[in-house]
Amino acid sequence: RRVQRVTVGFATCLLFVFLTIPAAIGAKVWYGVSLADSDWLHGSAESLLTVTNLVTVIAFRQALSYKEQEMDGVGASMPESMVSYRPMVNLVGVLTALAGLTAFIPGLMGAEVHTPYLSGFMDIPFQVSARHPEPENALTVCCWVIHITSLVEFLVAMGFCWRWADVSNNPKWRGLTWGLLPLHSSGITACTYHLFYNSIPVLVPLQAMLTCLGNTTAMFAAYRIAVSNGWSAPWGDILALNEDNDSKTNIQEEESQSLVGFEDLGDALATDNDWTFIAKLFAGCAVASYLVKYGELWFDFPFESELYLSLAIIFIPSLLNSFKWWKRSQDPSFDGWF
């Protein structure tokens, strides 16, 4: 129950959805393009997803740190985020206000369809001499940072769910990791769509399908966690979904303590405070964003709209990620090699 403040992060996802809708309408009405083709609107809207994932990760991280220190017999003060919703709600409020400013200020200043997000302040300030010129609908570095950090933060949150299963002795939390997999694949799909400069339209409904599937699987996983904690839905018996609470088993001894992967960044950076953790996370994603934005200009494939290649970019990492979690559930000594 101490991890319930994480729900602030998940609830913020609704804010992202609600505010993305008017941004998409604005892009179509004002410019006649999709949201993805108007960088300043796109970046402002997508930044809310980064806020969602960041708040989820920070709340989870604080709860895990306290719980693990408690289990080790190390005296630690309980973080305020474990006893009050206020810290995470305040964080959401501040970050959402900043995201709003990145949309309202350019809007008031008469931004054009391809006005760079945040004025492109992280972009290289001169034309890069590469094999291909950059299309006008290319994402800015800041917009790429938002997308890549969202993917990495999501993986970290999935890893935290897996670890919380250990510290809470409730294996149902591992089910949430599995339930979030389609949503992560949805994020990969969005990045792949942008990698090809939004030129493969079929990826848009594919992302929508994966999002719908992921919302459904995450909902069912959350339901199983609630039932395992003693909650009983009035319609659960009718659908034979309610479970006995004795399904919990002590799984703390079974799990490897040296997992390797993006989802284990939370463990690898456990000694960092929240600020240095965030700084290192964003710094790494910024480097990756520069490599993606300017590196792809040296290749032909982003300009060729190859559907099968785009599907491979989406599903090969997704299948490898799924296999890794399956392997870990079957073999606790498996540390991971990708």
Side-chain angles (χ1 to χ4, degrees):
R1 294 176 182 269
R2 289 175 178 169
V3 79
Q4 62 185 339
R5 273 53 181 181
V6 172
T7 57
V8 175
F10 286 112
T12 307
C13 188
L14 295 175
L15 182 65
F16 158 69
V17 173
F18 287 138
L19 295 183
T20 297
I21 292 173
I25 294 174
K28 178 62 69 173
V29 171
W30 297 333
Y31 307 125
V33 300
S34 69
L35 179 61
D37 287 317
S38 181
D39 195 72
W40 70 276
L41 279 171
H42 184 205
S44 299
E46 291 294 330
S47 65
L48 294 171
L49 182 58
T50 298
V51 171
T52 293
N53 295 337
L54 181 63
V55 171
T56 301
V57 165
I58 294 301
F60 233 141
R61 185 175 188 268
Q62 292 178 353
L64 271 169
S65 177
Y66 173 77
K67 186 66 175 178
E68 289 173 342
Q69 290 183 56
E70 186 181 54
M71 293 172 62
D72 293 338
V74 178
S77 58
M78 183 179 293
E80 188 180 355
S81 63
M82 292 182 66
V83 295
S84 171
Y85 289 103
R86 182 178 300 173
M88 293 301 110
V89 171
N90 290 344
L91 181 59
V92 167
V94 171
L95 294 178
T96 301
L98 291 175
L101 289 176
T102 66
F104 285 118
I105 293 177
L108 293 175
M109 296 179 65
E112 301 293 335
V113 57
H114 296 305
T115 295
Y117 175 60
L118 295 182
S119 300
F121 87 97
M122 291 183 66
D123 290 3
I124 296 176
F126 54 83
Q127 185 69 32
V128 175
S129 177
R131 186 170 184 176
H132 296 277
E134 191 172 50
E136 60 181 0
N137 70 336
L139 271 61
T140 54
V141 171
C142 288
C143 204
W144 268 118
V145 168
I146 286 172
H147 284 76
I148 294 176
T149 53
S150 293
L151 286 181
V152 175
E153 287 166 350
F154 216 82
L155 281 173
V156 173
M158 292 164 68
F160 282 167
C161 290
W162 200 268
R163 286 172 59 192
W164 191 261
D166 296 339
V167 302
S168 65
N169 289 328
N170 185 353
K172 295 296 188 295
W173 277 95
R174 291 182 178 176
L176 186 56
T177 297
W178 286 105
L180 294 175
L181 278 171
L183 289 173
H184 188 256
S185 297
S186 172
I188 297 176
T189 304
C191 289
T192 303
Y193 182 60
H194 303 319
L195 183 69
F196 287 87
Y197 299 107
N198 310 335
S199 62
I200 306 179
V202 72
L203 297 186
V204 176
L206 175 61
Q207 184 195 7
M209 182 194 72
L210 288 170
T211 300
C212 181
L213 175 63
N215 288 340
T216 303
T217 54
M219 177 189 68
F220 182 65
Y223 171 81
R224 294 177 70 237
I225 293 172
V227 170
S228 70
N229 286 331
W231 182 76
S232 179
W235 37 265
D237 293 330
I238 299 176
L239 299 179
L241 292 176
N242 286 338
E243 304 176 28
D244 294 332
N245 292 339
D246 59 8
S247 60
K248 292 185 180 181
T249 57
N250 192 325
I251 59 176
Q252 182 182 345
E253 299 295 329
E254 300 178 359
E255 192 59 35
S256 168
Q257 297 300 312
S258 56
L259 304 181
V260 179
F262 281 111
E263 67 280 357
D264 303 308
L265 283 176
D267 195 16
L269 301 177
T271 58
D272 288 78
N273 60 42
D274 290 338
W275 294 108
T276 57
F277 172 80
I278 294 171
K280 290 179 180 180
L281 177 66
F282 275 84
C285 292
V287 172
S289 298
Y290 278 105
L291 291 175
V292 172
K293 177 176 174 62
Y294 297 108
E296 66 173 327
L297 298 177
W298 294 91
F299 298 91
D300 294 330
F301 74 88
F303 302 89
E304 295 174 348
S305 304
E306 295 185 12
L307 175 60
Y308 293 113
L309 177 59
S310 70
L311 294 177
I313 293 174
I314 294 167
F315 288 108
I316 289 177
S318 296
L319 290 173
L320 289 175
N321 194 25
S322 299
F323 176 76
K324 177 166 57 178
W325 291 116
W326 175 81
K327 186 68 174 178
R328 288 177 175 179
S329 65
Q330 300 296 314
D331 181 9
S333 64
F334 178 69
D335 291 338
W337 27 257
F338 51 79

Coordinates of all heavy atoms in Angstrom, one line a residue, residues 295-335:
G295 N 22.5 11.3 -36.8 CA 23.1 10.1 -37.4 C 22.3 9.5 -38.5 O 22.9 9.0 -39.5
E296 N 20.9 9.6 -38.4 CA 20.1 9.0 -39.5 C 20.3 9.7 -40.8 O 19.9 9.1 -41.9 CB 18.7 8.9 -39.0 CG 18.0 10.2 -38.9 CD 16.5 10.0 -38.6 OE1 15.9 9.1 -39.2 OE2 15.9 10.9 -37.9
L297 N 20.8 10.9 -40.8 CA 21.0 11.6 -42.1 C 22.0 11.0 -43.0 O 22.1 11.3 -44.2 CB 21.3 13.1 -41.8 CG 20.3 13.9 -41.0 CD1 20.9 15.3 -40.8 CD2 19.0 14.0 -41.8
W298 N 22.8 10.1 -42.4 CA 23.9 9.5 -43.2 C 23.4 8.1 -43.8 O 24.2 7.5 -44.5 CB 25.1 9.2 -42.3 CG 25.7 10.5 -41.8 CD1 25.4 11.2 -40.7 CD2 26.7 11.2 -42.5 NE1 26.2 12.3 -40.6 CE2 27.0 12.4 -41.7 CE3 27.4 11.0 -43.7 CZ2 28.0 13.3 -42.1 CZ3 28.4 12.0 -44.1 CH2 28.7 13.1 -43.3
F299 N 22.2 7.8 -43.6 CA 21.6 6.5 -44.1 C 20.5 6.8 -45.0 O 19.8 7.8 -45.0 CB 21.2 5.6 -42.9 CG 22.3 5.2 -42.0 CD1 22.6 6.0 -40.9 CD2 23.1 4.1 -42.2 CE1 23.6 5.6 -40.0 CE2 24.1 3.7 -41.4 CZ 24.4 4.5 -40.3
D300 N 20.2 5.8 -45.9 CA 19.1 5.9 -46.9 C 17.8 5.5 -46.3 O 16.8 6.0 -46.7 CB 19.5 5.1 -48.1 CG 20.7 5.6 -48.9 OD1 20.9 6.9 -48.8 OD2 21.4 4.8 -49.5
F301 N 17.8 4.5 -45.4 CA 16.5 3.9 -45.0 C 15.5 4.8 -44.4 O 14.3 4.6 -44.6 CB 16.8 2.7 -44.1 CG 17.2 3.0 -42.7 CD1 16.2 3.3 -41.7 CD2 18.5 3.1 -42.3 CE1 16.6 3.6 -40.4 CE2 18.9 3.5 -41.0 CZ 17.9 3.7 -40.1
P302 N 15.9 5.8 -43.6 CA 14.8 6.7 -43.1 C 14.1 7.5 -44.2 O 13.0 7.9 -43.9 CB 15.6 7.7 -42.2 CG 16.9 7.0 -41.9 CD 17.2 6.3 -43.1
F303 N 14.6 7.5 -45.4 CA 14.0 8.3 -46.4 C 13.3 7.4 -47.4 O 12.7 7.9 -48.4 CB 15.0 9.1 -47.2 CG 15.7 10.1 -46.3 CD1 16.9 9.7 -45.6 CD2 15.3 11.4 -46.1 CE1 17.6 10.6 -44.7 CE2 15.9 12.3 -45.2 CZ 17.1 11.8 -44.6
E304 N 13.2 6.1 -47.2 CA 12.7 5.1 -48.1 C 11.4 4.5 -47.7 O 10.8 3.7 -48.4 CB 13.7 4.0 -48.4 CG 15.0 4.5 -49.1 CD 16.1 3.5 -49.2 OE1 15.9 2.4 -48.6 OE2 17.0 3.7 -49.9
S305 N 10.9 4.9 -46.5 CA 9.5 4.4 -46.0 C 9.3 2.9 -46.2 O 8.3 2.4 -46.7 CB 8.5 5.2 -46.8 OG 8.6 6.6 -46.7
E306 N 10.3 2.1 -45.7 CA 10.2 0.7 -45.8 C 9.4 0.1 -44.6 O 9.8 0.2 -43.5 CB 11.6 0.1 -45.8 CG 12.5 0.5 -47.0 CD 13.8 -0.2 -47.1 OE1 14.0 -1.2 -46.3 OE2 14.7 0.1 -47.9
L307 N 8.2 -0.3 -45.0 CA 7.3 -0.8 -44.0 C 7.9 -2.0 -43.2 O 7.8 -2.0 -41.9 CB 6.0 -1.2 -44.6 CG 4.9 -1.9 -43.7 CD1 4.6 -0.9 -42.5 CD2 3.7 -2.3 -44.4
Y308 N 8.4 -3.0 -43.9 CA 8.9 -4.2 -43.2 C 10.1 -3.9 -42.3 O 10.2 -4.5 -41.2 CB 9.2 -5.3 -44.2 CG 8.0 -5.8 -44.9 CD1 7.9 -5.6 -46.3 CD2 7.0 -6.5 -44.3 CE1 6.7 -6.0 -47.0 CE2 5.9 -7.0 -44.9 CZ 5.8 -6.7 -46.3 OH 4.7 -7.2 -46.9
L309 N 10.9 -3.0 -42.7 CA 12.0 -2.6 -41.8 C 11.5 -1.9 -40.6 O 12.0 -2.1 -39.5 CB 13.0 -1.6 -42.6 CG 14.2 -1.1 -41.8 CD1 15.0 -2.2 -41.2 CD2 15.0 -0.1 -42.6
S310 N 10.5 -1.0 -40.7 CA 9.9 -0.3 -39.6 C 9.3 -1.3 -38.6 O 9.4 -1.1 -37.4 CB 8.9 0.7 -40.1 OG 7.7 0.1 -40.6
L311 N 8.6 -2.3 -39.1 CA 8.0 -3.3 -38.3 C 9.1 -4.1 -37.5 O 8.9 -4.5 -36.3 CB 7.1 -4.3 -39.1 CG 5.9 -3.6 -39.7 CD1 5.1 -4.6 -40.5 CD2 5.0 -3.0 -38.6
A312 N 10.2 -4.4 -38.2 CA 11.3 -5.1 -37.5 C 11.9 -4.2 -36.4 O 12.2 -4.8 -35.3 CB 12.4 -5.4 -38.6
I313 N 12.0 -2.9 -36.6 CA 12.6 -2.0 -35.6 C 11.6 -2.0 -34.4 O 12.1 -1.9 -33.2 CB 12.7 -0.6 -36.2 CG1 13.8 -0.6 -37.2 CG2 13.1 0.4 -35.1 CD1 14.0 0.7 -38.0
I314 N 10.3 -2.2 -34.6 CA 9.4 -2.2 -33.5 C 9.4 -3.5 -32.8 O 9.5 -3.6 -31.5 CB 8.0 -1.9 -34.0 CG1 7.9 -0.4 -34.6 CG2 6.9 -2.0 -32.9 CD1 6.7 -0.1 -35.4
F315 N 9.2 -4.6 -33.5 CA 8.9 -5.9 -32.9 C 10.1 -6.7 -32.4 O 10.0 -7.5 -31.5 CB 8.0 -6.7 -33.8 CG 6.6 -6.2 -33.9 CD1 6.1 -5.5 -35.1 CD2 5.7 -6.3 -32.8 CE1 4.9 -5.0 -35.1 CE2 4.4 -5.7 -32.9 CZ 4.0 -5.1 -34.1
I316 N 11.2 -6.5 -33.1 CA 12.4 -7.3 -32.6 C 12.8 -6.8 -31.2 O 13.0 -7.7 -30.3 CB 13.6 -7.1 -33.6 CG1 13.3 -7.9 -34.9 CG2 14.9 -7.6 -32.9 CD1 14.4 -7.8 -35.9
P317 N 13.0 -5.5 -30.9 CA 13.2 -5.1 -29.5 C 12.1 -5.6 -28.5 O 12.4 -5.9 -27.4 CB 13.4 -3.6 -29.5 CG 13.7 -3.3 -31.0 CD 13.0 -4.3 -31.8
S318 N 10.9 -5.5 -29.0 CA 9.7 -5.8 -28.1 C 9.8 -7.3 -27.8 O 9.5 -7.7 -26.6 CB 8.4 -5.5 -28.8 OG 8.3 -4.1 -29.0
L319 N 10.1 -8.1 -28.8 CA 10.1 -9.6 -28.5 C 11.3 -9.9 -27.7 O 11.2 -10.8 -26.8 CB 10.2 -10.3 -29.9 CG 8.9 -10.3 -30.7 CD1 9.2 -10.9 -32.1 CD2 7.8 -11.0 -30.0
L320 N 12.5 -9.3 -27.9 CA 13.6 -9.5 -27.0 C 13.3 -9.1 -25.6 O 13.7 -9.8 -24.6 CB 14.8 -8.8 -27.6 CG 15.4 -9.3 -28.9 CD1 16.5 -8.4 -29.3 CD2 16.0 -10.7 -28.7
N321 N 12.6 -8.0 -25.4 CA 12.3 -7.5 -24.1 C 11.4 -8.5 -23.4 O 11.5 -8.8 -22.2 CB 11.6 -6.1 -24.2 CG 11.5 -5.4 -22.8 OD1 12.3 -5.7 -21.9 ND2 10.6 -4.5 -22.7
S322 N 10.4 -9.0 -24.1 CA 9.4 -10.0 -23.6 C 10.2 -11.3 -23.2 O 9.9 -11.9 -22.2 CB 8.3 -10.3 -24.6 OG 7.6 -9.1 -24.9
F323 N 11.1 -11.7 -24.1 CA 11.8 -12.9 -23.8 C 12.7 -12.8 -22.5 O 12.8 -13.7 -21.7 CB 12.7 -13.3 -25.0 CG 13.6 -14.5 -24.7 CD1 13.1 -15.8 -24.7 CD2 14.9 -14.3 -24.4 CE1 13.9 -16.9 -24.5 CE2 15.8 -15.4 -24.2 CZ 15.2 -16.7 -24.2
K324 N 13.3 -11.6 -22.4 CA 14.1 -11.3 -21.2 C 13.3 -11.5 -19.9 O 13.7 -12.1 -19.0 CB 14.7 -10.0 -21.3 CG 15.5 -9.6 -20.1 CD 16.4 -8.4 -20.3 CE 15.6 -7.2 -20.8 NZ 16.5 -6.0 -21.0
W325 N 12.1 -10.9 -19.9 CA 11.3 -11.0 -18.7 C 10.8 -12.5 -18.5 O 10.7 -12.9 -17.3 CB 10.1 -10.1 -18.8 CG 10.4 -8.6 -18.7 CD1 10.3 -7.7 -19.6 CD2 11.0 -8.0 -17.6 NE1 10.8 -6.5 -19.2 CE2 11.2 -6.6 -17.9 CE3 11.4 -8.4 -16.3 CZ2 11.8 -5.7 -17.1 CZ3 12.0 -7.5 -15.5 CH2 12.2 -6.1 -15.8
W326 N 10.5 -13.2 -19.6 CA 10.1 -14.6 -19.4 C 11.2 -15.4 -18.9 O 11.0 -16.2 -18.0 CB 9.6 -15.1 -20.8 CG 9.3 -16.6 -20.8 CD1 8.2 -17.2 -20.3 CD2 10.2 -17.6 -21.1 NE1 8.3 -18.5 -20.4 CE2 9.5 -18.9 -20.9 CE3 11.5 -17.7 -21.6 CZ2 10.1 -20.1 -21.2 CZ3 12.1 -18.9 -21.9 CH2 11.4 -20.1 -21.6
K327 N 12.4 -15.1 -19.4 CA 13.6 -15.9 -18.9 C 13.9 -15.6 -17.5 O 14.2 -16.5 -16.7 CB 14.8 -15.5 -19.8 CG 16.1 -16.3 -19.5 CD 15.9 -17.7 -20.0 CE 17.2 -18.5 -19.8 NZ 17.1 -19.9 -20.2
R328 N 13.7 -14.4 -17.1 CA 13.9 -14.1 -15.7 C 12.9 -14.7 -14.8 O 13.2 -15.1 -13.6 CB 13.9 -12.5 -15.5 CG 15.1 -11.8 -16.0 CD 15.0 -10.3 -15.9 NE 16.3 -9.7 -16.3 CZ 16.5 -8.4 -16.3 NH1 15.5 -7.6 -15.9 NH2 17.6 -7.9 -16.7
S329 N 11.7 -14.8 -15.2 CA 10.6 -15.5 -14.4 C 10.9 -17.0 -14.3 O 10.4 -17.6 -13.4 CB 9.3 -15.2 -15.0 OG 9.1 -15.8 -16.3
Q330 N 11.5 -17.6 -15.3 CA 11.8 -19.0 -15.3 C 13.1 -19.4 -14.7 O 13.2 -20.4 -14.0 CB 11.8 -19.5 -16.8 CG 10.5 -19.3 -17.6 CD 9.4 -20.1 -17.0 OE1 9.5 -21.3 -16.6 NE2 8.2 -19.4 -16.8
D331 N 14.1 -18.5 -14.8 CA 15.4 -18.7 -14.3 C 15.9 -17.5 -13.5 O 16.4 -16.6 -14.1 CB 16.4 -19.0 -15.5 CG 17.8 -19.3 -15.0 OD1 18.0 -19.5 -13.8 OD2 18.7 -19.4 -15.9
P332 N 15.7 -17.6 -12.2 CA 16.1 -16.4 -11.3 C 17.6 -16.1 -11.4 O 18.0 -14.9 -11.1 CB 15.8 -16.9 -9.9 CG 14.7 -17.9 -10.1 CD 15.1 -18.6 -11.4
S333 N 18.4 -17.0 -11.9 CA 19.9 -16.7 -12.0 C 20.2 -16.0 -13.3 O 21.4 -15.5 -13.4 CB 20.7 -18.0 -11.9 OG 20.4 -18.8 -13.0
F334 N 19.2 -15.8 -14.2 CA 19.5 -15.2 -15.5 C 19.7 -13.7 -15.2 O 18.7 -13.0 -14.8 CB 18.4 -15.5 -16.4 CG 18.5 -14.8 -17.8 CD1 19.5 -15.2 -18.7 CD2 17.6 -13.8 -18.1 CE1 19.6 -14.6 -19.9 CE2 17.8 -13.1 -19.4 CZ 18.8 -13.6 -20.3
D335 N 20.8 -13.1 -15.6 CA 21.1 -11.7 -15.4 C 20.7 -10.8 -16.6 O 20.5 -9.7 -16.4 CB 22.6 -11.5 -15.1 CG 23.0 -12.0 -13.8 OD1 22.1 -12.2 -12.9 OD2 24.2 -12.3 -13.6

